Amino acid sequence: MQSNNFQKIDSKKEVKIMLSKKAWTMKKLAEKLTEVSGKYYSPQNLNYRLTQNKLKLYEMGYICQVLDFKLAFIEN
């Protein structure tokens, strides 16, 4: 049996780190995501989706865009 060396990405932890670096709240992030995406995001719903790992990749892209971070896939 093969062993995978994949690390599970904790999106909530990563977003919390980005928010703390920018001194933003989840409320401010939800407001900006709503502006950028055209889809309504409440702070509670966003927090739930992050906790349950139900965030879609394009949504993480919006979060990175709003917080001025880069989302990258780098080949080993």
Side-chain angles (χ1 to χ4, degrees), residues 21-38:
K21 287 183 178 183
K22 299 294 181 174
W24 279 31
T25 62
M26 191 67 75
K27 181 180 178 183
K28 184 173 180 179
L29 176 60
E31 290 170 356
K32 294 293 184 180
L33 278 176
T34 298
E35 289 175 21
V36 170
S37 70

Side-chain angles (χ1 to χ4, degrees), residues 63-74:
I63 291 170
C64 290
Q65 177 185 345
V66 165
L67 294 172
D68 199 28
F69 281 85
K70 185 184 284 190
L71 181 63
F73 296 94
I74 302 167

Side-chain angles (χ1 to χ4, degrees), residues 3-33:
S3 172
N4 291 330
N5 291 328
F6 294 110
Q7 289 182 324
K8 186 175 179 182
I9 298 171
D10 185 349
S11 56
K12 183 175 184 175
K13 181 180 174 184
E14 296 299 324
V15 169
K16 292 279 189 178
I17 290 168
M18 291 188 286
L19 285 173
S20 68
K21 287 183 178 183
K22 299 294 181 174
W24 279 31
T25 62
M26 191 67 75
K27 181 180 178 183
K28 184 173 180 179
L29 176 60
E31 290 170 356
K32 294 293 184 180
L33 278 176

